[in-house]
PDB file of all heavy atoms in Angstrom:
ATOM      1  N   ILE A 261      89.272-115.148   2.436  1.00 92.00           N
ATOM      2  CA  ILE A 261      88.619-114.052   1.716  1.00 92.00           C
ATOM      3  C   ILE A 261      87.260-114.565   1.273  1.00 92.00           C
ATOM      4  O   ILE A 261      87.168-115.410   0.379  1.00 92.00           O
ATOM      5  CB  ILE A 261      89.463-113.596   0.516  1.00 92.00           C
ATOM      6  CG1 ILE A 261      90.837-113.122   1.001  1.00 92.00           C
ATOM      7  CG2 ILE A 261      88.756-112.480  -0.245  1.00 92.00           C
ATOM      8  CD1 ILE A 261      91.755-112.640  -0.099  1.00 92.00           C
ATOM      9  N   PRO A 262      86.186-114.082   1.900  1.00 96.00           N
ATOM     10  CA  PRO A 262      84.869-114.708   1.719  1.00 96.00           C
ATOM     11  C   PRO A 262      84.154-114.389   0.417  1.00 96.00           C
ATOM     12  O   PRO A 262      83.236-115.104   0.022  1.00 96.00           O
ATOM     13  CB  PRO A 262      84.072-114.175   2.909  1.00 96.00           C
ATOM     14  CG  PRO A 262      84.694-112.850   3.200  1.00 96.00           C
ATOM     15  CD  PRO A 262      86.153-113.014   2.906  1.00 96.00           C
ATOM     16  N   VAL A 263      84.556-113.309  -0.257  1.00 97.00           N
ATOM     17  CA  VAL A 263      83.850-112.889  -1.476  1.00 97.00           C
ATOM     18  C   VAL A 263      84.851-112.701  -2.610  1.00 97.00           C
ATOM     19  O   VAL A 263      85.904-112.088  -2.429  1.00 97.00           O
ATOM     20  CB  VAL A 263      83.073-111.575  -1.248  1.00 97.00           C
ATOM     21  CG1 VAL A 263      82.394-111.122  -2.539  1.00 97.00           C
ATOM     22  CG2 VAL A 263      82.045-111.741  -0.132  1.00 97.00           C
ATOM     23  N   ALA A 264      84.514-113.235  -3.772  1.00 98.00           N
ATOM     24  CA  ALA A 264      85.327-113.025  -4.971  1.00 98.00           C
ATOM     25  C   ALA A 264      84.547-112.144  -5.938  1.00 98.00           C
ATOM     26  O   ALA A 264      83.322-112.266  -6.060  1.00 98.00           O
ATOM     27  CB  ALA A 264      85.680-114.350  -5.631  1.00 98.00           C
ATOM     28  N   LEU A 265      85.255-111.252  -6.594  1.00 98.00           N
ATOM     29  CA  LEU A 265      84.663-110.351  -7.581  1.00 98.00           C
ATOM     30  C   LEU A 265      85.248-110.681  -8.944  1.00 98.00           C
ATOM     31  O   LEU A 265      86.462-110.604  -9.147  1.00 98.00           O
ATOM     32  CB  LEU A 265      84.967-108.897  -7.207  1.00 98.00           C
ATOM     33  CG  LEU A 265      84.602-107.810  -8.223  1.00 98.00           C
ATOM     34  CD1 LEU A 265      83.096-107.784  -8.481  1.00 98.00           C
ATOM     35  CD2 LEU A 265      85.084-106.445  -7.732  1.00 98.00           C
ATOM     36  N   VAL A 266      84.394-111.067  -9.873  1.00 98.00           N
ATOM     37  CA  VAL A 266      84.830-111.399 -11.231  1.00 98.00           C
ATOM     38  C   VAL A 266      84.096-110.472 -12.191  1.00 98.00           C
ATOM     39  O   VAL A 266      82.869-110.358 -12.132  1.00 98.00           O
ATOM     40  CB  VAL A 266      84.523-112.869 -11.580  1.00 98.00           C
ATOM     41  CG1 VAL A 266      85.017-113.196 -12.987  1.00 98.00           C
ATOM     42  CG2 VAL A 266      85.157-113.812 -10.561  1.00 98.00           C
ATOM     43  N   VAL A 290      87.688-108.868  -0.174  1.00 97.00           N
ATOM     44  CA  VAL A 290      87.216-109.303  -1.490  1.00 97.00           C
ATOM     45  C   VAL A 290      88.414-109.668  -2.359  1.00 97.00           C
ATOM     46  O   VAL A 290      89.386-108.909  -2.450  1.00 97.00           O
ATOM     47  CB  VAL A 290      86.392-108.195  -2.179  1.00 97.00           C
ATOM     48  CG1 VAL A 290      86.039-108.589  -3.616  1.00 97.00           C
ATOM     49  CG2 VAL A 290      85.125-107.886  -1.388  1.00 97.00           C
ATOM     50  N   LEU A 291      88.352-110.826  -2.995  1.00 97.00           N
ATOM     51  CA  LEU A 291      89.348-111.231  -3.976  1.00 97.00           C
ATOM     52  C   LEU A 291      88.887-110.734  -5.340  1.00 97.00           C
ATOM     53  O   LEU A 291      87.839-111.142  -5.833  1.00 97.00           O
ATOM     54  CB  LEU A 291      89.488-112.756  -3.997  1.00 97.00           C
ATOM     55  CG  LEU A 291      90.309-113.349  -5.154  1.00 97.00           C
ATOM     56  CD1 LEU A 291      91.769-112.929  -5.038  1.00 97.00           C
ATOM     57  CD2 LEU A 291      90.182-114.871  -5.180  1.00 97.00           C
ATOM     58  N   PHE A 307      88.722-117.677 -13.939  1.00 98.00           N
ATOM     59  CA  PHE A 307      88.498-117.909 -12.508  1.00 98.00           C
ATOM     60  C   PHE A 307      88.118-119.363 -12.247  1.00 98.00           C
ATOM     61  O   PHE A 307      88.634-119.999 -11.316  1.00 98.00           O
ATOM     62  CB  PHE A 307      87.402-116.976 -11.997  1.00 98.00           C
ATOM     63  CG  PHE A 307      87.068-117.165 -10.544  1.00 98.00           C
ATOM     64  CD1 PHE A 307      87.896-116.655  -9.551  1.00 98.00           C
ATOM     65  CD2 PHE A 307      85.931-117.865 -10.159  1.00 98.00           C
ATOM     66  CE1 PHE A 307      87.595-116.838  -8.201  1.00 98.00           C
ATOM     67  CE2 PHE A 307      85.620-118.045  -8.824  1.00 98.00           C
ATOM     68  CZ  PHE A 307      86.453-117.536  -7.842  1.00 98.00           C
ATOM     69  N   PRO A 318      86.061-118.827  -1.648  1.00 96.00           N
ATOM     70  CA  PRO A 318      85.102-117.816  -1.205  1.00 96.00           C
ATOM     71  C   PRO A 318      83.728-118.439  -0.988  1.00 96.00           C
ATOM     72  O   PRO A 318      83.435-119.520  -1.511  1.00 96.00           O
ATOM     73  CB  PRO A 318      85.082-116.828  -2.375  1.00 96.00           C
ATOM     74  CG  PRO A 318      85.412-117.669  -3.572  1.00 96.00           C
ATOM     75  CD  PRO A 318      86.405-118.691  -3.075  1.00 96.00           C
ATOM     76  N   VAL A 320      80.974-116.550  -1.691  1.00 97.00           N
ATOM     77  CA  VAL A 320      80.140-115.902  -2.705  1.00 97.00           C
ATOM     78  C   VAL A 320      81.021-115.376  -3.832  1.00 97.00           C
ATOM     79  O   VAL A 320      82.117-114.863  -3.586  1.00 97.00           O
ATOM     80  CB  VAL A 320      79.335-114.726  -2.100  1.00 97.00           C
ATOM     81  CG1 VAL A 320      78.464-114.063  -3.161  1.00 97.00           C
ATOM     82  CG2 VAL A 320      78.495-115.185  -0.919  1.00 97.00           C
ATOM     83  N   VAL A 321      80.529-115.496  -5.057  1.00 98.00           N
ATOM     84  CA  VAL A 321      81.178-114.872  -6.213  1.00 98.00           C
ATOM     85  C   VAL A 321      80.220-113.842  -6.799  1.00 98.00           C
ATOM     86  O   VAL A 321      79.087-114.178  -7.173  1.00 98.00           O
ATOM     87  CB  VAL A 321      81.552-115.903  -7.297  1.00 98.00           C
ATOM     88  CG1 VAL A 321      81.982-115.193  -8.585  1.00 98.00           C
ATOM     89  CG2 VAL A 321      82.676-116.802  -6.806  1.00 98.00           C
ATOM     90  N   VAL A 322      80.662-112.595  -6.844  1.00 98.00           N
ATOM     91  CA  VAL A 322      79.899-111.526  -7.491  1.00 98.00           C
ATOM     92  C   VAL A 322      80.403-111.422  -8.924  1.00 98.00           C
ATOM     93  O   VAL A 322      81.590-111.190  -9.155  1.00 98.00           O
ATOM     94  CB  VAL A 322      80.094-110.185  -6.752  1.00 98.00           C
ATOM     95  CG1 VAL A 322      79.400-109.055  -7.517  1.00 98.00           C
ATOM     96  CG2 VAL A 322      79.557-110.275  -5.327  1.00 98.00           C
ATOM     97  N   TRP A 323      79.493-111.614  -9.877  1.00 98.00           N
ATOM     98  CA  TRP A 323      79.873-111.587 -11.296  1.00 98.00           C
ATOM     99  C   TRP A 323      79.321-110.316 -11.926  1.00 98.00           C
ATOM    100  O   TRP A 323      78.124-110.186 -12.147  1.00 98.00           O
ATOM    101  CB  TRP A 323      79.319-112.817 -12.006  1.00 98.00           C
ATOM    102  CG  TRP A 323      79.852-113.018 -13.404  1.00 98.00           C
ATOM    103  CD1 TRP A 323      80.848-112.321 -14.025  1.00 98.00           C
ATOM    104  CD2 TRP A 323      79.411-114.002 -14.348  1.00 98.00           C
ATOM    105  NE1 TRP A 323      81.066-112.799 -15.289  1.00 98.00           N
ATOM    106  CE2 TRP A 323      80.199-113.832 -15.514  1.00 98.00           C
ATOM    107  CE3 TRP A 323      78.437-114.998 -14.315  1.00 98.00           C
ATOM    108  CZ2 TRP A 323      80.022-114.632 -16.644  1.00 98.00           C
ATOM    109  CZ3 TRP A 323      78.267-115.794 -15.436  1.00 98.00           C
ATOM    110  CH2 TRP A 323      79.053-115.617 -16.588  1.00 98.00           C
TER     111      TRP A 323
END
Side-chain angles (χ1 to χ4, degrees):
I261 301 180
V263 178
L265 172 62
V266 181
V290 173
L291 169 66
F307 178 77
V320 180
V321 169
V322 175
W323 190 7

